[in-house]
Structure formats: structure tokens, C-alpha cells
Amino acid sequence: MSVREKILIVDDNPTNIEILQEYLEDNYDLEIASSGEEALEKAASFQPAIILLDIMMPGMDGYEVCKRVRATPSLAHIKIIILSVKAMLSERLEGYTSGADDYITKPFEEEELLAKVRVYLRLKSVEEMNELNSNLLAMLSHETRTPLTSILMPVEILLADQAMDADKRKTLLDIVYDGTKNLQKLFDKIFLLNTLKTGTATLDFVQADLCELTSAAIEALSKAAEARNLRIEPQLPDNLVVRLDRKKIQQVIESILDNAVRFSPACSAVQINVFEDNQYAMVTIADHGEGIDPQFLAQVFNEFACSDVDHHGGGHGLSLAIAKQIVSYHDGTIDAESTPEIGTTITLRLPLAGPTDR
């Protein structure tokens, strides 16, 4: 199963929307907006790969939508194709100047539209992978220095002092082991993110109890919580069976819970709830830490969203990006709500019916 690309249709004419839905709904996940203001809101939450954008709308027109999308860092990756009855060269140039990638005049042929959608999805994929590879290389350059040093220095000492007593030797070997494990975890995350982003990841979907996986994640983080005198307070039903990949969804829950534990003040509590809501299995994890900067909140699940890769802290910045990709493979969503100085709540939604086979 592969993740379907997302397309946002922006048009105030119901007939135009119906036509586009008929052309696209079999192969893409669609969202609809009927005004410029609604388009910006849905672009932020839906994070489409492409926006199909009408120009003439009440209130904010398509040109202004283009400008605002291009001025928003978390939306800058989106490809914009304008669909308009305006056909004059000056109008087309204004579209390109505003930030559109392409301009198709109405009425248009179905095959032309579908061909351009495919072209821009391929282009976006290439751009994203180039950026991903560049960022991964930069991160590797930075984040391998400390674990490599923690491996090389003890090894040099061990080689230089063959008569070292057993206790000192064990201490140095423990340091080497920890550094090696940290490198292994980092490379595992990088490999997994690459396979998820390129659509080559293999998931094993089975019927599984989400409460059981959540309890296992809590157990995995129990020592880290105890070390900071934190309480993990679960509220779980007896069971909640969902079709999912057991290992990867437990990894998602552990990643979110790990963030909550690391960013919570000592002697506080982290709440984790599992429940059913409107055909979704829900997991919420709430901490009472400093919260997330509002300007960063919309990008928190994007890989390398930090202002520079030096602040990813042992590859931790990859964990939420991986979680988002895994949840997308399950046809689910993951969202964050945060208030500075009060705390952050991460909400995971998985469809009870399970992911769609494609």
C-alpha cells in the first residue's frame, strides 16, 4: 500500500468542483475550499502536494492566495496550478509573479490537467528527495561527531594501556557500546524515513489491540520517566482493536511519549488516553512542559523543521517526522496543540476500519 498524494481544490463554483472531483478522486485524496481564506486554513492543516486554484473568488482572490502560500515557510513546498477563464498574457504573468507554478485556462481538457498534475507531483518528489538527502548529509556530518568521538577515544585508551584493570576497561567498553548504539539508532531512523518518504516501506497490517501497544510503549518509557520523577497516567479501555502495523504504531506512540517525558518538568505528569471517537481510534498524549513556539507548531512534524540541524539532538527531530509518515500509511492523522508555559497535546487518529488497500 502506498500513500495517496493530496490535492486541494480551491473554487467557489460547485460545478467546477464536481468536474475536478470526477477527474481526480480515484487516484488522489482531495480537500475542497470555496474561498481564499478557507484555502489558506486548509492548506495548513491538509498539507496538500498540489493546490488547484481558481482566480476569481469573493474576498481574497487567487493571486493573493498564491502570495500568502509562498510567504508561509510550512507551505512553501506546495505546487500551485492556477485554473482560470482569464487567458490574457498579462493575467497569466500576474499568476506566475504571484508564485504559481503553472497556469491552465478554462475550459481545459481532462488529459492536460491529469498530465500536469503528474508532472508536478514528480517534480515535487524530486525536489523533496534532493532536500531530504542534503539535510540528511548535513545532519550526519554534525550528529556523528559526538558518538564517533565517544567510540574512538576510549578505544585509543584501551589500545594504549594493555595492563588496564578490569573495572576501568569495563567502563570504557560501556562508553564504546553506548556510542555505537546511538549511531545505530540514528542510521535506523534515517533509513526508515527514506523508505517511508520514497514509498518503499513495507508495513504488516494485522488486527491488534491499541491499548496493548500503548501499555507496551508506557513500559518502554517507564525508566526514563522514573529518572525524572515523572508520573505517566494512562486512561485506557479494556481493548480497542484496530487494523495496523503493530511494530510501527508502537514506535509512533513511544516517540510521542518520549518527547513528552523529555520536555516535561520534573515531578509532573504525562497523561495518555486511548478511546474511540466517530469511527476513529484516538490516542492523546499530554505533557505540562514549556510548550511549542506557535511559529514552529505548524512544522513540528516536518523533518528538519528546526531552524538549523544542529538542534536535532541525537536525531530526535526525525522521530515526529517518521511518526507522521507512518500514520499517513495508516490513512490516519497526527496533530499537535500547544500553549506556551502550559503544555502540549499530541493527538493520533487511526481509522477503525483500517487503511484502504490500494
Side-chain angles (χ1 to χ4, degrees), residues 74-111:
S74 62
L75 305 179
H77 66 284
I78 298 173
K79 298 299 181 184
I80 301 175
I81 301 176
I82 289 177
L83 308 178
S84 177
V85 295
K86 293 186 173 185
M88 293 181 62
L89 177 60
S90 60
E91 294 163 338
R92 296 168 69 91
L93 289 175
E94 184 175 359
Y96 292 126
T97 302
S98 299
D101 295 285
D102 210 333
Y103 195 114
I104 302 176
T105 55
K106 299 177 182 178
F108 51 81
E109 294 293 331
E110 176 182 358
E111 287 306 314

PDB file of all heavy atoms in Angstrom, residues 74-111:
ATOM      1  N   SER A  74       5.948  26.854   6.027  1.00  0.00           N
ATOM      2  CA  SER A  74       5.418  25.489   6.127  1.00  0.00           C
ATOM      3  C   SER A  74       4.611  25.074   4.897  1.00  0.00           C
ATOM      4  O   SER A  74       4.281  23.901   4.735  1.00  0.00           O
ATOM      5  CB  SER A  74       4.538  25.349   7.377  1.00  0.00           C
ATOM      6  OG  SER A  74       3.424  26.221   7.304  1.00  0.00           O
ATOM      7  N   LEU A  75       4.290  26.040   4.009  1.00  0.00           N
ATOM      8  CA  LEU A  75       3.523  25.741   2.800  1.00  0.00           C
ATOM      9  C   LEU A  75       4.358  25.891   1.525  1.00  0.00           C
ATOM     10  O   LEU A  75       3.857  25.666   0.425  1.00  0.00           O
ATOM     11  CB  LEU A  75       2.304  26.667   2.695  1.00  0.00           C
ATOM     12  CG  LEU A  75       1.352  26.701   3.892  1.00  0.00           C
ATOM     13  CD1 LEU A  75       0.212  27.679   3.636  1.00  0.00           C
ATOM     14  CD2 LEU A  75       0.808  25.315   4.199  1.00  0.00           C
ATOM     15  N   ALA A  76       5.612  26.280   1.680  1.00  0.00           N
ATOM     16  CA  ALA A  76       6.428  26.635   0.519  1.00  0.00           C
ATOM     17  C   ALA A  76       6.642  25.471  -0.443  1.00  0.00           C
ATOM     18  O   ALA A  76       6.910  25.671  -1.627  1.00  0.00           O
ATOM     19  CB  ALA A  76       7.784  27.175   0.984  1.00  0.00           C
ATOM     20  N   HIS A  77       6.497  24.233   0.051  1.00  0.00           N
ATOM     21  CA  HIS A  77       6.732  23.053  -0.794  1.00  0.00           C
ATOM     22  C   HIS A  77       5.589  22.771  -1.754  1.00  0.00           C
ATOM     23  O   HIS A  77       5.736  21.979  -2.689  1.00  0.00           O
ATOM     24  CB  HIS A  77       6.920  21.828   0.097  1.00  0.00           C
ATOM     25  CG  HIS A  77       5.684  21.464   0.864  1.00  0.00           C
ATOM     26  ND1 HIS A  77       5.285  22.186   1.966  1.00  0.00           N
ATOM     27  CD2 HIS A  77       4.750  20.501   0.681  1.00  0.00           C
ATOM     28  CE1 HIS A  77       4.162  21.670   2.441  1.00  0.00           C
ATOM     29  NE2 HIS A  77       3.820  20.652   1.678  1.00  0.00           N
ATOM     30  N   ILE A  78       4.424  23.404  -1.549  1.00  0.00           N
ATOM     31  CA  ILE A  78       3.227  23.075  -2.321  1.00  0.00           C
ATOM     32  C   ILE A  78       3.339  23.601  -3.752  1.00  0.00           C
ATOM     33  O   ILE A  78       3.741  24.748  -3.964  1.00  0.00           O
ATOM     34  CB  ILE A  78       1.971  23.663  -1.643  1.00  0.00           C
ATOM     35  CG1 ILE A  78       1.784  23.059  -0.248  1.00  0.00           C
ATOM     36  CG2 ILE A  78       0.724  23.422  -2.496  1.00  0.00           C
ATOM     37  CD1 ILE A  78       0.666  23.705   0.550  1.00  0.00           C
ATOM     38  N   LYS A  79       2.957  22.776  -4.714  1.00  0.00           N
ATOM     39  CA  LYS A  79       2.887  23.210  -6.107  1.00  0.00           C
ATOM     40  C   LYS A  79       1.506  23.825  -6.356  1.00  0.00           C
ATOM     41  O   LYS A  79       0.491  23.280  -5.919  1.00  0.00           O
ATOM     42  CB  LYS A  79       3.114  22.038  -7.058  1.00  0.00           C
ATOM     43  CG  LYS A  79       4.495  21.397  -6.922  1.00  0.00           C
ATOM     44  CD  LYS A  79       5.601  22.381  -7.226  1.00  0.00           C
ATOM     45  CE  LYS A  79       6.965  21.750  -7.112  1.00  0.00           C
ATOM     46  NZ  LYS A  79       8.057  22.733  -7.311  1.00  0.00           N
ATOM     47  N   ILE A  80       1.467  24.950  -7.055  1.00  0.00           N
ATOM     48  CA  ILE A  80       0.215  25.656  -7.311  1.00  0.00           C
ATOM     49  C   ILE A  80      -0.040  25.719  -8.809  1.00  0.00           C
ATOM     50  O   ILE A  80       0.789  26.232  -9.575  1.00  0.00           O
ATOM     51  CB  ILE A  80       0.255  27.091  -6.736  1.00  0.00           C
ATOM     52  CG1 ILE A  80       0.511  27.060  -5.227  1.00  0.00           C
ATOM     53  CG2 ILE A  80      -1.065  27.815  -7.034  1.00  0.00           C
ATOM     54  CD1 ILE A  80       0.688  28.447  -4.616  1.00  0.00           C
ATOM     55  N   ILE A  81      -1.187  25.190  -9.214  1.00  0.00           N
ATOM     56  CA  ILE A  81      -1.617  25.271 -10.620  1.00  0.00           C
ATOM     57  C   ILE A  81      -2.889  26.118 -10.657  1.00  0.00           C
ATOM     58  O   ILE A  81      -3.901  25.753 -10.054  1.00  0.00           O
ATOM     59  CB  ILE A  81      -1.899  23.883 -11.214  1.00  0.00           C
ATOM     60  CG1 ILE A  81      -0.644  23.004 -11.128  1.00  0.00           C
ATOM     61  CG2 ILE A  81      -2.358  24.015 -12.668  1.00  0.00           C
ATOM     62  CD1 ILE A  81      -0.867  21.572 -11.614  1.00  0.00           C
ATOM     63  N   ILE A  82      -2.823  27.242 -11.329  1.00  0.00           N
ATOM     64  CA  ILE A  82      -3.988  28.115 -11.462  1.00  0.00           C
ATOM     65  C   ILE A  82      -4.886  27.594 -12.587  1.00  0.00           C
ATOM     66  O   ILE A  82      -4.406  27.259 -13.678  1.00  0.00           O
ATOM     67  CB  ILE A  82      -3.564  29.568 -11.736  1.00  0.00           C
ATOM     68  CG1 ILE A  82      -2.943  30.190 -10.471  1.00  0.00           C
ATOM     69  CG2 ILE A  82      -4.734  30.407 -12.229  1.00  0.00           C
ATOM     70  CD1 ILE A  82      -2.437  31.600 -10.665  1.00  0.00           C
ATOM     71  N   LEU A  83      -6.186  27.526 -12.306  1.00  0.00           N
ATOM     72  CA  LEU A  83      -7.193  27.174 -13.307  1.00  0.00           C
ATOM     73  C   LEU A  83      -8.125  28.373 -13.428  1.00  0.00           C
ATOM     74  O   LEU A  83      -8.853  28.695 -12.482  1.00  0.00           O
ATOM     75  CB  LEU A  83      -7.991  25.941 -12.875  1.00  0.00           C
ATOM     76  CG  LEU A  83      -7.195  24.697 -12.473  1.00  0.00           C
ATOM     77  CD1 LEU A  83      -8.130  23.589 -12.016  1.00  0.00           C
ATOM     78  CD2 LEU A  83      -6.342  24.210 -13.630  1.00  0.00           C
ATOM     79  N   SER A  84      -8.110  29.065 -14.587  1.00  0.00           N
ATOM     80  CA  SER A  84      -8.858  30.312 -14.689  1.00  0.00           C
ATOM     81  C   SER A  84      -9.362  30.550 -16.110  1.00  0.00           C
ATOM     82  O   SER A  84      -8.740  30.120 -17.084  1.00  0.00           O
ATOM     83  CB  SER A  84      -7.970  31.488 -14.255  1.00  0.00           C
ATOM     84  OG  SER A  84      -8.650  32.713 -14.404  1.00  0.00           O
ATOM     85  N   VAL A  85     -10.495  31.263 -16.186  1.00  0.00           N
ATOM     86  CA  VAL A  85     -11.001  31.680 -17.508  1.00  0.00           C
ATOM     87  C   VAL A  85     -10.204  32.869 -18.030  1.00  0.00           C
ATOM     88  O   VAL A  85     -10.296  33.210 -19.211  1.00  0.00           O
ATOM     89  CB  VAL A  85     -12.500  32.040 -17.431  1.00  0.00           C
ATOM     90  CG1 VAL A  85     -13.320  30.822 -17.093  1.00  0.00           C
ATOM     91  CG2 VAL A  85     -12.746  33.166 -16.432  1.00  0.00           C
ATOM     92  N   LYS A  86      -9.436  33.502 -17.165  1.00  0.00           N
ATOM     93  CA  LYS A  86      -8.612  34.633 -17.597  1.00  0.00           C
ATOM     94  C   LYS A  86      -7.478  34.112 -18.462  1.00  0.00           C
ATOM     95  O   LYS A  86      -6.642  33.333 -17.997  1.00  0.00           O
ATOM     96  CB  LYS A  86      -8.062  35.388 -16.398  1.00  0.00           C
ATOM     97  CG  LYS A  86      -9.131  36.101 -15.573  1.00  0.00           C
ATOM     98  CD  LYS A  86      -8.489  36.949 -14.488  1.00  0.00           C
ATOM     99  CE  LYS A  86      -9.506  37.805 -13.771  1.00  0.00           C
ATOM    100  NZ  LYS A  86      -8.892  38.732 -12.793  1.00  0.00           N
ATOM    101  N   ALA A  87      -7.440  34.558 -19.709  1.00  0.00           N
ATOM    102  CA  ALA A  87      -6.483  33.974 -20.655  1.00  0.00           C
ATOM    103  C   ALA A  87      -5.472  34.965 -21.208  1.00  0.00           C
ATOM    104  O   ALA A  87      -4.579  34.580 -21.966  1.00  0.00           O
ATOM    105  CB  ALA A  87      -7.241  33.330 -21.813  1.00  0.00           C
ATOM    106  N   MET A  88      -5.608  36.243 -20.862  1.00  0.00           N
ATOM    107  CA  MET A  88      -4.671  37.239 -21.397  1.00  0.00           C
ATOM    108  C   MET A  88      -3.268  37.012 -20.837  1.00  0.00           C
ATOM    109  O   MET A  88      -3.098  36.537 -19.708  1.00  0.00           O
ATOM    110  CB  MET A  88      -5.157  38.646 -21.047  1.00  0.00           C
ATOM    111  CG  MET A  88      -6.450  39.045 -21.750  1.00  0.00           C
ATOM    112  SD  MET A  88      -6.963  40.720 -21.315  1.00  0.00           S
ATOM    113  CE  MET A  88      -5.562  41.674 -21.930  1.00  0.00           C
ATOM    114  N   LEU A  89      -2.254  37.375 -21.637  1.00  0.00           N
ATOM    115  CA  LEU A  89      -0.877  37.184 -21.224  1.00  0.00           C
ATOM    116  C   LEU A  89      -0.586  37.906 -19.914  1.00  0.00           C
ATOM    117  O   LEU A  89       0.083  37.354 -19.028  1.00  0.00           O
ATOM    118  CB  LEU A  89       0.064  37.678 -22.321  1.00  0.00           C
ATOM    119  CG  LEU A  89       1.560  37.594 -21.987  1.00  0.00           C
ATOM    120  CD1 LEU A  89       1.980  36.163 -21.700  1.00  0.00           C
ATOM    121  CD2 LEU A  89       2.391  38.199 -23.126  1.00  0.00           C
ATOM    122  N   SER A  90      -1.103  39.131 -19.758  1.00  0.00           N
ATOM    123  CA  SER A  90      -0.846  39.897 -18.538  1.00  0.00           C
ATOM    124  C   SER A  90      -1.400  39.187 -17.310  1.00  0.00           C
ATOM    125  O   SER A  90      -0.799  39.215 -16.226  1.00  0.00           O
ATOM    126  CB  SER A  90      -1.459  41.300 -18.653  1.00  0.00           C
ATOM    127  OG  SER A  90      -2.864  41.207 -18.845  1.00  0.00           O
ATOM    128  N   GLU A  91      -2.544  38.520 -17.471  1.00  0.00           N
ATOM    129  CA  GLU A  91      -3.154  37.804 -16.354  1.00  0.00           C
ATOM    130  C   GLU A  91      -2.366  36.544 -16.003  1.00  0.00           C
ATOM    131  O   GLU A  91      -2.186  36.215 -14.819  1.00  0.00           O
ATOM    132  CB  GLU A  91      -4.604  37.461 -16.711  1.00  0.00           C
ATOM    133  CG  GLU A  91      -5.484  38.702 -16.842  1.00  0.00           C
ATOM    134  CD  GLU A  91      -6.781  38.435 -17.581  1.00  0.00           C
ATOM    135  OE1 GLU A  91      -6.850  37.451 -18.350  1.00  0.00           O
ATOM    136  OE2 GLU A  91      -7.720  39.224 -17.377  1.00  0.00           O
ATOM    137  N   ARG A  92      -1.880  35.874 -17.028  1.00  0.00           N
ATOM    138  CA  ARG A  92      -1.049  34.690 -16.788  1.00  0.00           C
ATOM    139  C   ARG A  92       0.259  35.082 -16.107  1.00  0.00           C
ATOM    140  O   ARG A  92       0.711  34.407 -15.164  1.00  0.00           O
ATOM    141  CB  ARG A  92      -0.768  33.971 -18.103  1.00  0.00           C
ATOM    142  CG  ARG A  92      -2.025  33.414 -18.775  1.00  0.00           C
ATOM    143  CD  ARG A  92      -1.738  32.982 -20.210  1.00  0.00           C
ATOM    144  NE  ARG A  92      -0.876  31.820 -20.251  1.00  0.00           N
ATOM    145  CZ  ARG A  92      -1.322  30.558 -20.270  1.00  0.00           C
ATOM    146  NH1 ARG A  92      -2.624  30.320 -20.249  1.00  0.00           N
ATOM    147  NH2 ARG A  92      -0.488  29.551 -20.318  1.00  0.00           N
ATOM    148  N   LEU A  93       0.862  36.192 -16.572  1.00  0.00           N
ATOM    149  CA  LEU A  93       2.109  36.660 -15.965  1.00  0.00           C
ATOM    150  C   LEU A  93       1.904  37.052 -14.508  1.00  0.00           C
ATOM    151  O   LEU A  93       2.777  36.819 -13.660  1.00  0.00           O
ATOM    152  CB  LEU A  93       2.671  37.841 -16.754  1.00  0.00           C
ATOM    153  CG  LEU A  93       3.244  37.501 -18.139  1.00  0.00           C
ATOM    154  CD1 LEU A  93       3.661  38.779 -18.865  1.00  0.00           C
ATOM    155  CD2 LEU A  93       4.433  36.550 -18.015  1.00  0.00           C
ATOM    156  N   GLU A  94       0.737  37.648 -14.213  1.00  0.00           N
ATOM    157  CA  GLU A  94       0.460  38.003 -12.815  1.00  0.00           C
ATOM    158  C   GLU A  94       0.388  36.746 -11.955  1.00  0.00           C
ATOM    159  O   GLU A  94       0.823  36.737 -10.803  1.00  0.00           O
ATOM    160  CB  GLU A  94      -0.842  38.791 -12.707  1.00  0.00           C
ATOM    161  CG  GLU A  94      -1.123  39.266 -11.289  1.00  0.00           C
ATOM    162  CD  GLU A  94      -2.338  40.156 -11.170  1.00  0.00           C
ATOM    163  OE1 GLU A  94      -2.983  40.440 -12.207  1.00  0.00           O
ATOM    164  OE2 GLU A  94      -2.658  40.565 -10.031  1.00  0.00           O
ATOM    165  N   GLY A  95      -0.160  35.672 -12.519  1.00  0.00           N
ATOM    166  CA  GLY A  95      -0.218  34.406 -11.791  1.00  0.00           C
ATOM    167  C   GLY A  95       1.166  33.877 -11.478  1.00  0.00           C
ATOM    168  O   GLY A  95       1.457  33.484 -10.343  1.00  0.00           O
ATOM    169  N   TYR A  96       2.052  33.890 -12.474  1.00  0.00           N
ATOM    170  CA  TYR A  96       3.416  33.416 -12.249  1.00  0.00           C
ATOM    171  C   TYR A  96       4.156  34.319 -11.256  1.00  0.00           C
ATOM    172  O   TYR A  96       4.892  33.837 -10.392  1.00  0.00           O
ATOM    173  CB  TYR A  96       4.179  33.352 -13.574  1.00  0.00           C
ATOM    174  CG  TYR A  96       3.658  32.290 -14.515  1.00  0.00           C
ATOM    175  CD1 TYR A  96       3.286  32.599 -15.821  1.00  0.00           C
ATOM    176  CD2 TYR A  96       3.544  30.968 -14.107  1.00  0.00           C
ATOM    177  CE1 TYR A  96       2.807  31.628 -16.684  1.00  0.00           C
ATOM    178  CE2 TYR A  96       3.063  29.990 -14.969  1.00  0.00           C
ATOM    179  CZ  TYR A  96       2.693  30.325 -16.245  1.00  0.00           C
ATOM    180  OH  TYR A  96       2.215  29.357 -17.099  1.00  0.00           O
ATOM    181  N   THR A  97       3.952  35.624 -11.385  1.00  0.00           N
ATOM    182  CA  THR A  97       4.603  36.573 -10.478  1.00  0.00           C
ATOM    183  C   THR A  97       4.139  36.360  -9.040  1.00  0.00           C
ATOM    184  O   THR A  97       4.912  36.538  -8.088  1.00  0.00           O
ATOM    185  CB  THR A  97       4.304  38.026 -10.911  1.00  0.00           C
ATOM    186  OG1 THR A  97       4.758  38.214 -12.245  1.00  0.00           O
ATOM    187  CG2 THR A  97       4.995  39.019  -9.992  1.00  0.00           C
ATOM    188  N   SER A  98       2.879  35.966  -8.888  1.00  0.00           N
ATOM    189  CA  SER A  98       2.332  35.744  -7.543  1.00  0.00           C
ATOM    190  C   SER A  98       2.852  34.465  -6.906  1.00  0.00           C
ATOM    191  O   SER A  98       2.705  34.278  -5.700  1.00  0.00           O
ATOM    192  CB  SER A  98       0.805  35.689  -7.605  1.00  0.00           C
ATOM    193  OG  SER A  98       0.276  36.910  -8.086  1.00  0.00           O
ATOM    194  N   GLY A  99       3.419  33.579  -7.729  1.00  0.00           N
ATOM    195  CA  GLY A  99       4.007  32.359  -7.174  1.00  0.00           C
ATOM    196  C   GLY A  99       3.450  31.067  -7.725  1.00  0.00           C
ATOM    197  O   GLY A  99       3.821  29.980  -7.255  1.00  0.00           O
ATOM    198  N   ALA A 100       2.573  31.134  -8.728  1.00  0.00           N
ATOM    199  CA  ALA A 100       2.030  29.905  -9.309  1.00  0.00           C
ATOM    200  C   ALA A 100       3.106  29.168 -10.102  1.00  0.00           C
ATOM    201  O   ALA A 100       3.987  29.784 -10.706  1.00  0.00           O
ATOM    202  CB  ALA A 100       0.845  30.232 -10.215  1.00  0.00           C
ATOM    203  N   ASP A 101       3.014  27.844 -10.095  1.00  0.00           N
ATOM    204  CA  ASP A 101       3.939  27.018 -10.875  1.00  0.00           C
ATOM    205  C   ASP A 101       3.465  26.832 -12.301  1.00  0.00           C
ATOM    206  O   ASP A 101       4.278  26.645 -13.210  1.00  0.00           O
ATOM    207  CB  ASP A 101       4.098  25.647 -10.206  1.00  0.00           C
ATOM    208  CG  ASP A 101       4.755  25.744  -8.844  1.00  0.00           C
ATOM    209  OD1 ASP A 101       5.978  25.962  -8.796  1.00  0.00           O
ATOM    210  OD2 ASP A 101       4.041  25.628  -7.829  1.00  0.00           O
ATOM    211  N   ASP A 102       2.144  26.867 -12.507  1.00  0.00           N
ATOM    212  CA  ASP A 102       1.601  26.692 -13.855  1.00  0.00           C
ATOM    213  C   ASP A 102       0.238  27.365 -13.926  1.00  0.00           C
ATOM    214  O   ASP A 102      -0.353  27.724 -12.899  1.00  0.00           O
ATOM    215  CB  ASP A 102       1.488  25.215 -14.218  1.00  0.00           C
ATOM    216  CG  ASP A 102       1.651  24.971 -15.722  1.00  0.00           C
ATOM    217  OD1 ASP A 102       1.344  25.900 -16.506  1.00  0.00           O
ATOM    218  OD2 ASP A 102       2.088  23.878 -16.107  1.00  0.00           O
ATOM    219  N   TYR A 103      -0.252  27.523 -15.162  1.00  0.00           N
ATOM    220  CA  TYR A 103      -1.489  28.260 -15.398  1.00  0.00           C
ATOM    221  C   TYR A 103      -2.242  27.569 -16.524  1.00  0.00           C
ATOM    222  O   TYR A 103      -1.717  27.424 -17.631  1.00  0.00           O
ATOM    223  CB  TYR A 103      -1.147  29.704 -15.789  1.00  0.00           C
ATOM    224  CG  TYR A 103      -2.274  30.698 -15.723  1.00  0.00           C
ATOM    225  CD1 TYR A 103      -2.253  31.737 -14.794  1.00  0.00           C
ATOM    226  CD2 TYR A 103      -3.351  30.637 -16.606  1.00  0.00           C
ATOM    227  CE1 TYR A 103      -3.277  32.693 -14.741  1.00  0.00           C
ATOM    228  CE2 TYR A 103      -4.374  31.572 -16.556  1.00  0.00           C
ATOM    229  CZ  TYR A 103      -4.333  32.595 -15.619  1.00  0.00           C
ATOM    230  OH  TYR A 103      -5.341  33.537 -15.550  1.00  0.00           O
ATOM    231  N   ILE A 104      -3.436  27.078 -16.229  1.00  0.00           N
ATOM    232  CA  ILE A 104      -4.256  26.409 -17.240  1.00  0.00           C
ATOM    233  C   ILE A 104      -5.546  27.205 -17.415  1.00  0.00           C
ATOM    234  O   ILE A 104      -6.218  27.526 -16.431  1.00  0.00           O
ATOM    235  CB  ILE A 104      -4.604  24.967 -16.819  1.00  0.00           C
ATOM    236  CG1 ILE A 104      -3.333  24.147 -16.569  1.00  0.00           C
ATOM    237  CG2 ILE A 104      -5.464  24.285 -17.883  1.00  0.00           C
ATOM    238  CD1 ILE A 104      -3.605  22.745 -16.058  1.00  0.00           C
ATOM    239  N   THR A 105      -5.869  27.519 -18.661  1.00  0.00           N
ATOM    240  CA  THR A 105      -7.086  28.292 -18.901  1.00  0.00           C
ATOM    241  C   THR A 105      -8.296  27.361 -19.022  1.00  0.00           C
ATOM    242  O   THR A 105      -8.195  26.247 -19.544  1.00  0.00           O
ATOM    243  CB  THR A 105      -6.961  29.135 -20.182  1.00  0.00           C
ATOM    244  OG1 THR A 105      -6.633  28.280 -21.277  1.00  0.00           O
ATOM    245  CG2 THR A 105      -5.894  30.193 -20.019  1.00  0.00           C
ATOM    246  N   LYS A 106      -9.416  27.842 -18.505  1.00  0.00           N
ATOM    247  CA  LYS A 106     -10.689  27.118 -18.625  1.00  0.00           C
ATOM    248  C   LYS A 106     -11.376  27.521 -19.932  1.00  0.00           C
ATOM    249  O   LYS A 106     -11.288  28.684 -20.325  1.00  0.00           O
ATOM    250  CB  LYS A 106     -11.602  27.457 -17.447  1.00  0.00           C
ATOM    251  CG  LYS A 106     -11.051  27.084 -16.077  1.00  0.00           C
ATOM    252  CD  LYS A 106     -12.038  27.547 -14.999  1.00  0.00           C
ATOM    253  CE  LYS A 106     -11.527  27.254 -13.602  1.00  0.00           C
ATOM    254  NZ  LYS A 106     -12.453  27.750 -12.551  1.00  0.00           N
ATOM    255  N   PRO A 107     -12.108  26.611 -20.568  1.00  0.00           N
ATOM    256  CA  PRO A 107     -12.221  25.187 -20.222  1.00  0.00           C
ATOM    257  C   PRO A 107     -10.959  24.429 -20.617  1.00  0.00           C
ATOM    258  O   PRO A 107     -10.274  24.810 -21.562  1.00  0.00           O
ATOM    259  CB  PRO A 107     -13.425  24.732 -21.037  1.00  0.00           C
ATOM    260  CG  PRO A 107     -13.419  25.629 -22.228  1.00  0.00           C
ATOM    261  CD  PRO A 107     -12.925  26.967 -21.735  1.00  0.00           C
ATOM    262  N   PHE A 108     -10.642  23.365 -19.875  1.00  0.00           N
ATOM    263  CA  PHE A 108      -9.427  22.603 -20.145  1.00  0.00           C
ATOM    264  C   PHE A 108      -9.785  21.149 -20.405  1.00  0.00           C
ATOM    265  O   PHE A 108     -10.875  20.676 -20.066  1.00  0.00           O
ATOM    266  CB  PHE A 108      -8.462  22.689 -18.962  1.00  0.00           C
ATOM    267  CG  PHE A 108      -9.116  22.358 -17.637  1.00  0.00           C
ATOM    268  CD1 PHE A 108      -9.315  21.049 -17.239  1.00  0.00           C
ATOM    269  CD2 PHE A 108      -9.544  23.379 -16.800  1.00  0.00           C
ATOM    270  CE1 PHE A 108      -9.919  20.746 -16.034  1.00  0.00           C
ATOM    271  CE2 PHE A 108     -10.149  23.079 -15.589  1.00  0.00           C
ATOM    272  CZ  PHE A 108     -10.346  21.760 -15.194  1.00  0.00           C
ATOM    273  N   GLU A 109      -8.870  20.442 -21.011  1.00  0.00           N
ATOM    274  CA  GLU A 109      -9.055  19.023 -21.289  1.00  0.00           C
ATOM    275  C   GLU A 109      -8.628  18.201 -20.073  1.00  0.00           C
ATOM    276  O   GLU A 109      -7.636  18.522 -19.403  1.00  0.00           O
ATOM    277  CB  GLU A 109      -8.223  18.603 -22.503  1.00  0.00           C
ATOM    278  CG  GLU A 109      -8.664  19.228 -23.814  1.00  0.00           C
ATOM    279  CD  GLU A 109     -10.038  18.720 -24.241  1.00  0.00           C
ATOM    280  OE1 GLU A 109     -10.386  17.564 -23.891  1.00  0.00           O
ATOM    281  OE2 GLU A 109     -10.753  19.482 -24.930  1.00  0.00           O
ATOM    282  N   GLU A 110      -9.354  17.143 -19.802  1.00  0.00           N
ATOM    283  CA  GLU A 110      -9.040  16.280 -18.664  1.00  0.00           C
ATOM    284  C   GLU A 110      -7.609  15.762 -18.739  1.00  0.00           C
ATOM    285  O   GLU A 110      -6.874  15.779 -17.749  1.00  0.00           O
ATOM    286  CB  GLU A 110     -10.026  15.104 -18.612  1.00  0.00           C
ATOM    287  CG  GLU A 110      -9.714  14.106 -17.503  1.00  0.00           C
ATOM    288  CD  GLU A 110     -10.661  12.924 -17.503  1.00  0.00           C
ATOM    289  OE1 GLU A 110     -11.580  12.893 -18.343  1.00  0.00           O
ATOM    290  OE2 GLU A 110     -10.470  12.012 -16.668  1.00  0.00           O
ATOM    291  N   GLU A 111      -7.201  15.289 -19.901  1.00  0.00           N
ATOM    292  CA  GLU A 111      -5.866  14.706 -20.037  1.00  0.00           C
ATOM    293  C   GLU A 111      -4.765  15.730 -19.780  1.00  0.00           C
ATOM    294  O   GLU A 111      -3.713  15.400 -19.234  1.00  0.00           O
ATOM    295  CB  GLU A 111      -5.702  14.074 -21.422  1.00  0.00           C
ATOM    296  CG  GLU A 111      -6.464  12.779 -21.593  1.00  0.00           C
ATOM    297  CD  GLU A 111      -6.131  11.763 -20.501  1.00  0.00           C
ATOM    298  OE1 GLU A 111      -4.931  11.583 -20.214  1.00  0.00           O
ATOM    299  OE2 GLU A 111      -7.052  11.160 -19.937  1.00  0.00           O
TER     300      GLU A 111
END
